[in-house]
Amino acid sequence: MNYQIMLRVICGLSVLIFCSCNKFLEEKPDISLTVPESLEDVRALLDNDDVLNMVAPPLLEMGTDDYYLDDIVLTNLNDTYQGIYLWRENYPAFELSGDWQFSYRAIMIANIAMETVKRLKEENSAEGKVLKGEALFLRAFNNYNLAQIYTPLGNETMDKRLGIPLRYSSDYTEPIYRTTLGETYGAIWDDLYACVQLLPEVSTQSNRPSKVAAYALMARISLAMDDYEEAEKYANQALAIYSSLLNLNEIDVTKNFPFPFLHNEIIYLAFSNKNSTIVNDRISIDSAFYKQYNDFDLRKQAYFYKKDNGEIGFKGNYAGAQFSTFFGGLTTAELYLISAECAARRGDLQVASKQLNTLLESKWSRGNFVPFLFFDNKSALAKILDERRKELLFRGVRWSDIKRYNRDPNFRLTLVRKNDQGEVIASLPALDKRFYWLIPEDVIRLSNIEQNER
């Protein structure tokens, strides 16, 4: 394997992505040094987890109600992070956390991988099919994450609101423009429909996509689009292949980092890059939310710890101690919750309780969990949504969940930020345009694409 080729490709992409072609006409890269030469090279590109798995955007968590910052921490943040935390209409939109750059770098690498497989005439070989399937998944995964933070939730193919730029080629000189929301989601689905035909059912490494991961992502997206029938179908298809859960009775939940490295519940690994706001020792958890966990619920010890100042901190790095940032991948736990929610929404309370109880039994101390019985849709759904938030804390889904709840008058939320005295210092009403973040200013300046409205 030509390791230098891989490094040149990745380093070059960090500079070139989403800069206007005019800026680089005078310093074109030496293409002969940056083109993978074999399927082995493609495999090396797609296995670089520091680049392709460290893509969960911090902005998926920075605006949620799952944490708060005390006055000292907030005061010490720069204007960009303060603006994001306080949901300001306008703030210096500098890309300090790499949400845009890292996602499009992964998309660029996925495109290079597919182009190489095609150029080598390996599209019909067993290895070539798998590599193409992984690349299609990566493009869909990153496009979806970008859509969650920079656009409204779309649920119609004819939605003409602004989506994200879509890149189908590694040619960085191609014009950049924002597609419609319908086109954005159409492209995501096209990639997922294609990749699920090419990927193996399961992967030997959780940093690689699989058919289970594709079904899990399809379930997540369908749920966000309020397509509960499809969400349940894909969740159950994934669980039919792989359904293992991490039993918290079998780990030491009192450890500082209790979750084992890449444990059995992880279907696909994705984690965020480091961010100065969403780090464990800075954020605090609302005590009222903390108290929602029963004392026999082992997640209460696995997720949280008491800080020296008496506040509740978060320690539940889901992918293990080796990762200091939040998890943004796909898990069987999420699939059980999707299946349970969708069953409750269609009135099948027996299936809804079965799926939820299967999950929770693995999270409570042995002998102390009493299975839930549901007698009406409303209470069943409310319980499942509560457990969804409690289970999937800091796993990259809360922002999208709030956005979809806000489409339903029965579940709408107004988010608030408070200071140390308990005074409200910021609020974010349901359906506000601030639910999609400002595109980085340098991207706007170099590409001339439209900024999000305020």
Side-chain angles (χ1 to χ4, degrees):
M1 161 61 203
N2 192 333
Y3 188 70
Q4 293 301 316
I5 289 177
M6 180 185 72
L7 289 179
R8 289 189 180 106
V9 171
I10 292 170
C11 292
L13 290 175
S14 298
V15 175
L16 297 175
I17 290 172
F18 277 87
C19 294
S20 68
C21 59
N22 292 335
K23 289 287 182 180
F24 290 93
L25 287 178
E26 297 179 358
E27 45 182 329
K28 291 180 181 179
D30 184 347
I31 298 299
S32 66
L33 295 178
T34 59
V35 176
E37 299 171 342
S38 65
L39 292 185
E40 183 184 21
D41 291 352
V42 177
R43 168 49 65 205
L45 280 176
L46 296 180
D47 274 351
N48 192 311
D49 53 15
D50 284 341
V51 172
L52 294 183
N53 297 91
M54 191 180 70
V55 292
L59 283 174
L60 284 173
E61 293 292 346
M62 292 173 67
T64 74
D65 55 351
D66 280 342
Y67 76 103
Y68 70 90
L69 302 175
D70 63 37
D71 290 354
I72 294 177
V73 172
L74 178 58
T75 301
N76 288 327
L77 293 180
N78 61 43
D79 290 343
T80 297
Y81 285 146
Q82 283 191 22
I84 291 170
Y85 177 74
L86 298 172
W87 310 301
R88 287 175 178 157
E89 286 195 0
N90 293 290
Y91 53 86
F94 301 122
E95 192 178 30
L96 302 178
S97 55
D99 302 76
W100 183 280
Q101 177 191 356
F102 292 168
S103 295
Y104 277 110
R105 179 176 62 182
I107 290 169
M108 182 73 85
I109 291 174
N111 288 335
I112 289 173
M114 285 186 278
E115 290 167 0
T116 303
V117 170
K118 183 177 181 179
R119 175 169 51 82
L120 296 173
K121 296 180 171 54
E122 293 281 2
E123 290 179 296
N124 293 320
S125 70
E127 185 178 3
K129 287 180 179 179
V130 171
L131 293 172
K132 181 179 179 181
E134 290 184 17
L136 286 165
F137 176 92
L138 286 167
R139 192 165 67 185
F141 184 78
N142 284 278
N143 276 332
Y144 177 67
N145 282 340
L146 287 163
Q148 296 317 287
I149 56 179
Y150 293 117
T151 75
L153 281 178
N155 59 1
E156 295 181 6
T157 57
M158 300 303 292
D159 196 324
K160 299 300 183 183
R161 290 176 294 176
L162 285 175
I164 60 171
L166 296 172
R167 307 298 281 172
Y168 295 101
S169 167
S170 63
D171 183 358
Y172 67 91
T173 66
E174 287 187 352
I176 301 165
Y177 62 93
R178 294 185 69 172
T179 61
T180 68
L181 206 54
E183 290 169 338
T184 294
Y185 278 94
I188 292 168
W189 280 113
D190 286 345
D191 283 349
L192 286 172
Y193 291 143
C195 80
V196 81
Q197 304 299 322
L198 301 172
L199 292 168
E201 287 197 337
V202 294
S203 175
T204 56
Q205 300 173 208
S206 60
N207 66 310
R208 294 179 181 176
S210 63
K211 196 181 296 289
V212 175
Y215 283 140
L217 182 55
M218 293 162 92
R220 176 184 286 184
I221 297 173
S222 297
L223 188 73
M225 299 171 72
D226 299 334
D227 191 343
Y228 304 118
E229 181 178 351
E230 290 294 286
E232 185 175 17
K233 179 184 77 173
Y234 291 129
N236 290 341
Q237 283 179 320
L239 288 171
I241 300 172
Y242 186 79
S243 58
S244 181
L245 289 168
L246 176 65
N247 193 320
L248 296 188
N249 289 279
E250 298 172 0
I251 66 173
D252 185 354
V253 295
T254 64
K255 286 185 176 180
N256 289 336
F257 299 100
F259 288 97
F261 178 60
L262 300 181
H263 53 80
N264 61 302
E265 205 166 278
I266 296 174
I267 295 172
Y268 179 69
L269 172 67
F271 53 99
S272 71
N273 58 294
K274 291 185 175 155
N275 177 279
S276 64
T277 303
I278 306 294
V279 291
N280 293 353
D281 59 350
R282 284 194 170 206
I283 64 173
S284 297
I285 307 298
D286 185 87
S287 59
F289 177 63
Y290 170 76
K291 291 175 182 176
Q292 292 180 25
Y293 292 81
N294 189 285
D295 287 343
F296 291 117
D297 187 339
L298 295 176
R299 295 174 299 186
K300 195 170 189 176
Q301 296 180 69
Y303 289 2
F304 307 114
Y305 71 99
K306 291 287 183 70
K307 293 184 174 183
D308 293 339
N309 62 3
E311 295 177 344
I312 307 299
F314 178 75
K315 67 171 186 174
N317 289 340
Y318 188 70
Q322 289 79 0
F323 299 92
S324 60
T325 56
F326 81 83
F327 179 86
L330 300 160
T331 70
T332 52
E334 182 181 354
L335 291 173
Y336 276 101
L337 288 162
I338 292 174
S339 182
E341 178 181 340
C342 294
R345 288 185 182 276
R346 64 179 173 82
D348 193 335
L349 302 185
Q350 184 176 359
V351 170
S353 61
K354 176 180 177 294
Q355 297 296 72
L356 182 65
N357 289 333
T358 299
L359 170 67
L360 294 182
E361 189 173 11
S362 69
K363 309 306 175 187
W364 281 51
S365 61
R366 285 194 180 97
N368 290 297
F369 176 66
V370 178
F372 289 99
L373 294 175
F374 298 137
F375 299 100
D376 65 89
N377 291 19
K378 184 176 180 180
S379 61
L381 185 58
K383 179 60 181 174
I384 292 167
L385 295 184
D386 283 346
E387 291 298 333
R388 178 178 173 85
R389 185 184 180 192
K390 289 161 63 179
E391 171 62 27
L392 303 180
L393 187 64
F394 292 108
R395 296 194 207 163
V397 298
R398 179 63 178 170
W399 192 240
S400 296
D401 279 349
I402 294 170
K403 290 165 74 174
R404 70 183 177 96
Y405 297 157
N406 284 345
R407 290 200 296 245
D408 184 342
N410 295 315
F411 290 98
R412 283 182 180 167
L413 298 169
T414 293
L415 307 186
V416 297
R417 300 291 194 205
K418 297 180 180 179
N419 61 17
D420 289 354
Q421 290 71 47
E423 301 165 333
V424 174
I425 56 175
S427 64
L428 184 63
L431 306 179
D432 195 287
K433 290 180 180 179
R434 289 172 292 165
F435 269 106
Y436 31 107
W437 300 107
L438 293 175
I439 293 172
E441 291 177 4
D442 58 344
V443 174
I444 300 295
R445 176 172 53 85
L446 293 170
S447 66
N448 292 317
I449 62 174
E450 302 94 323
Q451 180 59 278
N452 281 328
E453 293 181 1
R454 282 293 183 263

